[in-house]
């Protein structure tokens, strides 16, 4: 009886430290292996490089479009670009013209 009481007292005294250790281990494991953990840093750097390349391509496309818009300014439009766009939209060409499609 004395041993059972002693064992029960030992278990009661060990339950709170065991629970604290379990909680700390859970959060520590999540800090290492979780979606925002230390080991996810490599994945973040790969995503960053991919997004940076995508941003560079989109910025290049944006700059090209901004240049074309600047050439179409109504105050001083580029006659060659205006002629190209009108012919493209209306499908107008002269019989002696040679059309070279650019892809």
């Amino acid at each position: 009886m004395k041993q059972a009481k002693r064992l029960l007292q030992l278990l009661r005294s060990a339950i709170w430290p065991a629970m604290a250790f379990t909680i700390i281990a859970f959060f520590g494991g999540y800090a290492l292996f979780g979606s925002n953990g230390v080991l996810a840093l490599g994945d973040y750097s790969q995503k960053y490089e991919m997004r940076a390349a995508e941003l560079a391509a989109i910025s290049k496309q944006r700059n090209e479009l901004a240049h074309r818009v600047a050439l179409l300014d109504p105050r001083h439009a580029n006659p060659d670009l205006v002629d190209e766009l009108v012919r493209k939209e209306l499908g107008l060409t002269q019989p002696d013209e040679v059309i070279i499609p650019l892809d």
Side-chain angles (χ1 to χ4, degrees):
M1 182 73 169
K2 202 172 192 181
Q3 275 187 329
K5 205 175 213 185
R6 196 177 211 180
L7 183 62
L8 187 60
Q9 185 181 12
L10 180 65
L11 286 176
R12 282 185 184 165
S13 65
I15 195 160
W16 291 111
M19 285 178 56
F21 176 76
T22 304
I23 291 171
I24 290 171
F26 172 76
F27 284 113
Y30 191 76
L32 285 175
F33 303 111
S35 60
N36 294 329
V38 174
L39 298 179
L41 182 62
D43 188 38
Y44 281 134
S45 61
Q46 287 177 350
K47 285 182 182 179
Y48 175 77
E49 291 172 3
M50 186 174 64
R51 300 284 189 213
E54 184 180 347
L55 176 64
I58 289 173
S59 295
K60 180 181 175 188
Q61 183 181 11
R62 182 186 177 279
N63 290 337
E64 291 173 359
L65 288 173
H67 179 69
R68 285 183 68 94
V69 167
L71 291 176
L72 289 173
D73 185 17
R75 292 173 288 183
H76 49 82
N78 184 336
D80 291 334
L81 183 59
V82 171
D83 183 51
E84 175 189 338
L85 290 176
V86 168
R87 288 175 181 266
K88 185 177 178 181
E89 289 295 319
L90 299 177
L92 300 175
T93 57
Q94 299 295 327
D96 62 340
E97 290 180 335
V98 177
I99 299 174
I100 301 173
L102 300 175
D103 294 327

